[in-house]
Each structure stands twice: as C-alpha cells, then as structure tokens.
C-alpha cells in the first residue's frame, strides 16, 4: 500500500489522480494520473463511467431472495429492473401443440400421425402445405390448388413401353404391349396387332371364342404338299375359315378365295374335310395348277398346297378359328 508520508511533492505527483481539467461538473471527465495518463474512470458530480471492463476482485455474494437486477439501457447506462420471482424459478410453462414436442430443452417435430388426417373426401382446394422457398431462403406456404396447377404444368409421367404401344395393366403396373400399337397420323390411323391371335370372347359367360390370325407363305414351283400355314387342331372347336389371295412374283395372275376346313377335335386321326371356293381371279387360271389340301400331323392342322403353275406363288391368309372353353 503506497503512502505519501515523508515524500516530496515533486517525487509523488505522478501517482496522484486528478481530473483531466478544472473542477468536477455534471459532465464526466477522465481521471488521469499526475503524468497525464488516462485511466478507465470518468467522473462527474452525478455519474461514474467506466471505459473498459468493470470487474470485481472477489465475486459478489449470492442472494436468494432479491428480485432486482442491473441492465444496460440503450445508451449504455446501468438501470435497475425488478424481474419478479418467476424469473428466478422455472419460468413460464411451455405447452407444445402437435406435431411440436419439447423434451428437456429440445424442441422437435413428432410424426405427422399425431395430427388429424385429411382424406380425399375432406381435403379442400384452399388447404396449404409448408414449403421452403430456396430462392428467397425463407419458409412459405402453397395451396393445394397451386400445387396441383404446378404439377399439371410441369410434371409429365413417363409412358410405359415404346412410342405407339398400347398401355395395359401388367400385374398392377403399367406396361406397353409390344404387339399392340396405334398410329395416330391424320388420315393414316391404324390399330396394329402383331401377336399370334386376336381373340374375341362371347359377351356372356358362355364358351365361345373367335380367333383371328394372319399368315403368309411362298410355295415354290413344282412343290408338292408345301405347308402354307398351321393351326393347333386339338385346341379349337374343329372348324376354320380362311380368306386367301395368291399371286406370282410378276403379279400376272391373282386369285382370291375362301377355304373351309372341318375336323373332329376328339378324333384327330380322321382326315379333315376341306372346301376351296375360288371367288375371283385374273390372268392365267390356277384352279388346276395350285391346289390346297388339309392334313393333321399329330395335333397340328396343316394347310398345304401343290404348285404346278410354273412359277413361285405367294399366299396371303387371314383365317378365323373357333374355340370352345
């Protein structure tokens, strides 16, 4: 502890504290030492100011009943404020509303199932979703109507299959029918089936079904019993009607006709019956030089032809078969 006792003024004035100028007034003045060095204190007749850190050598005693506290106001002046006893206890009780939850000091969002459900019959077009606006970096809301309009304008479902293929339910998923397609070009519309059979079932719960099938073959000149087309004789009801056209490579002769074939599906050993009705032809007649016949090989019905016309012949067929379930 310093003392001025026994010291001369010229040796001790630097240790003395004084106002920066004049006497104390209502305006704060810096407290400096005798050498003119500023301290962290400012004094006036009404205020003490600290320019720096206000510290305690020893921590103040802890009180348990006081409710007043010191705060800084907007101009950095210390003011007293009475907080009330609740400020020193548990504080106000927070009651979260689902789906918000509070555990200890953590606020979380519970599963949406804690809320009441909207269904397709109760949802309204004005109902809203919480959404984050990435461009504005803020949360906003969007209505069901706006979301529906956005999805309709901007989202296109990927179609199953290839262009033109007809879509169908394939075990609960949508698939494209490889053998069934539609061409929608104006004036060229076509519904194309490239599978084996086009099947039409009886409208009732009966047993009849109608099968339509197309085929083609080239029967070379001098071929005997060349196979034109085949049909599963054991699967059908024993009758087939075939519309056909035959022509040679130079198209100098054309023949159109209709073939009826009947067989016994319960006794495939019995030879089938065939009637070939020539409807019309042009050029050299092929009635005696291109002759059809029918034969059953095991369970396969064969439409065969013998060609003695003198040229290779192309056969186009569209046949109709009947099936009994």
């Amino acid at each position: 502890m310093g003392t001025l006792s026994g010291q001369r003024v010229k040796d001790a004035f630097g240790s003395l504290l004084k106002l920066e100028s004049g006497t104390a007034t209502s305006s704060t003045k810096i407290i400096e030492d005798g050498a003119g060095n500023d301290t962290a204190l400012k004094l006036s007749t009404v205020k003490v100011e600290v320019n720096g850190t206000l510290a305690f050598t020893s921590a103040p005693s802890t009180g348990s009943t006081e409710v007043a506290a010191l705060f800084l106001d907007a101009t950095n002046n210390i003011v007293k404020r009475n907080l009330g006893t609740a400020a020193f206890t548990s504080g106000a009780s927070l009651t979260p509303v689902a789906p918000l939850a509070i555990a200890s000091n953590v606020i979380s969002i519970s599963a949406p199932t804690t809320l009441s459900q909207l269904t397709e019959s109760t949802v309204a077009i004005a109902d809203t979703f919480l959404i984050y606006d990435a461009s504005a970096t803020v949360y906003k809301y969007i209505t069901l109507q706006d979301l529906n309009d956005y999805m309709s304008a901007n989202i296109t479902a990927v179609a199953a299959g290839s262009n033109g293929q007809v879509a169908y339910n394939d075990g609960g998923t949508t698939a494209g029918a490889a053998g069934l397609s539609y061409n929608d070009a104006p004036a060229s519309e076509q519904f194309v089936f490239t599978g084996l059979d086009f099947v039409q079932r009886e409208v009732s719960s009966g047993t009849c079904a109608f099968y339509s099938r197309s085929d083609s073959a080239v029967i070379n000149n001098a071929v005997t019993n060349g196979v034109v087309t085949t049909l599963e004789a054991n699967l059908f009801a024993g009758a087939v009607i075939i519309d056909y056209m035959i022509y040679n490579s130079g198209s100098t002769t054309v023949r159109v006709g209709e073939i009826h074939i009947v067989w016994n599906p319960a006794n495939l050993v019995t030879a089938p019956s065939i009637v070939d009705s020539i409807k019309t032809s042009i050029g050299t007649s092929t009635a005696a030089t291109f002759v059809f016949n029918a034969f059953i090989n095991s369970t396969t019905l064969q439409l065969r032809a013998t060609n003695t016309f003198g040229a290779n012949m192309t056969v186009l067929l569209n046949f109709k078969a009947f099936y009994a379930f």
Side-chain angles (χ1 to χ4, degrees):
M1 180 176 177
T3 178
L4 295 176
S5 177
Q7 297 189 52
R8 292 176 292 184
V9 173
K10 70 179 185 69
D11 296 326
F13 79 92
S15 300
L16 299 177
L17 298 180
K18 66 181 185 65
L19 295 175
E20 61 179 305
S21 63
T23 59
T25 65
S26 58
S27 297
T28 59
K29 295 181 179 181
I30 299 173
I31 302 301
E32 57 185 26
D33 63 14
N37 297 311
D38 293 347
T39 69
L41 289 176
K42 289 184 179 181
L43 288 177
S44 76
T45 56
V46 294
K47 183 188 293 187
V48 175
E49 183 177 338
V50 177
N51 183 17
T53 302
L54 178 62
F56 296 92
T57 301
S58 298
S61 300
T62 301
S64 59
T65 59
E66 294 78 13
V67 294
L70 298 180
F71 291 88
L72 291 178
D73 65 12
T75 58
N76 291 328
N77 291 318
I78 295 177
V79 295
K80 183 183 78 169
R81 182 172 182 182
N82 293 320
L83 300 178
T85 56
F88 300 94
T89 57
S90 60
S93 176
L94 298 178
T95 303
V97 176
L100 294 179
I102 298 178
S104 184
N105 60 344
V106 177
I107 299 176
S108 60
I109 299 178
S110 302
T113 51
T114 59
L115 301 173
S116 299
Q117 183 180 5
L118 283 174
T119 66
E120 66 278 3
S121 61
T122 59
V123 68
I125 208 69
D127 289 342
T128 59
F129 297 87
L130 180 66
I131 190 169
Y132 183 73
D133 185 344
S135 60
T137 64
V138 295
Y139 279 97
K140 297 182 180 179
Y141 76 90
I142 187 171
T143 66
L144 182 60
Q145 178 67 70
D146 290 335
L147 187 60
N148 180 70
D149 293 344
Y150 174 83
M151 295 179 67
S152 298
N154 296 278
I155 298 178
T156 302
V158 178
S162 302
N163 185 43
Q165 289 184 355
V166 175
Y168 69 103
N169 186 335
D170 184 13
T173 62
T174 301
L180 195 60
S181 61
Y182 178 68
N183 177 11
D184 61 355
S188 300
E189 292 88 344
Q190 288 184 337
F191 188 68
V192 181
F193 176 66
T194 58
L196 179 63
D197 292 309
F198 183 83
V199 183
Q200 181 178 346
R201 291 288 301 271
E202 183 176 351
V203 295
S204 66
S205 58
T207 61
C208 178
F210 170 76
Y211 281 66
S212 177
R213 185 183 298 184
S214 296
D215 205 353
S216 66
V218 175
I219 304 300
N220 292 329
N221 182 49
V223 167
T224 299
N225 291 331
V227 177
V228 179
T229 190
T230 62
L231 187 71
E232 300 82 358
N234 60 323
L235 297 181
F236 291 91
V240 63
I241 301 171
I242 303 175
D243 296 317
Y244 72 88
M245 180 180 75
I246 61 175
Y247 61 93
N248 65 1
S249 58
S251 298
T252 57
T253 184
V254 175
R255 169 174 137 193
V256 174
E258 182 180 79
I259 296 173
H260 291 197
I261 304 175
V262 177
W263 69 94
N264 183 357
N267 184 9
L268 298 179
V269 177
T270 303
S273 173
I274 180 172
V275 175
D276 177 14
S277 301
I278 299 176
K279 301 301 182 183
T280 186
S281 64
I282 60 173
T284 304
S285 174
T286 59
T289 56
F290 197 93
V291 179
F292 290 104
N293 68 83
F295 177 78
I296 294 179
N297 180 11
S298 182
T299 59
T300 301
L301 174 69
Q302 296 179 343
L303 175 64
R304 308 187 301 189
T306 297
N307 181 12
T308 59
F309 179 74
N312 297 340
M313 304 296 284
T314 299
V315 185
L316 305 179
L317 310 104
N318 182 24
F319 52 98
K320 304 171 280 286
F322 299 92
Y323 179 81
F325 292 95

